[in-house]
Amino acid sequence: MKLRANADAWNQSPEGRAHITALAASWNYSPEGRAAQAKARAAAASPEARAKAEATKRLRRAQNARAVP
């Protein structure tokens, strides 16, 4: 496939790698990207880690609710 070979060559070029890095950075720091990362980490976490994360989340919510605006 000629298109695939051209895409592979571009991806391996300095310009292609820089473009991919920029796209990844913009995705990783976007709200959607961060949510996707959190979802993936939660899916991979052990049940104990999930329980600890939930407890931490509840504690933070309670602390935020008590905070003076």
Side-chain angles (χ1 to χ4, degrees):
M1 292 181 76
K2 187 172 176 133
L3 182 61
R4 175 64 188 209
N6 287 342
D8 287 342
W10 187 80
N11 288 340
Q12 293 169 4
S13 72
E15 298 86 5
R17 286 198 307 268
H19 181 72
I20 291 167
T21 300
L23 284 175
S26 67
W27 170 254
N28 290 340
Y29 292 106
S30 71
E32 298 85 2
R34 293 178 66 147
Q37 290 170 6
K39 188 174 180 181
R41 279 194 302 272
S46 67
E48 296 83 17
R50 284 188 203 145
K52 184 176 178 184
E54 279 300 316
T56 302
K57 205 183 306 181
R58 280 194 299 276
L59 177 63
R60 262 197 212 117
R61 285 187 191 136
Q63 288 172 338
N64 289 343
R66 288 192 304 263
V68 176

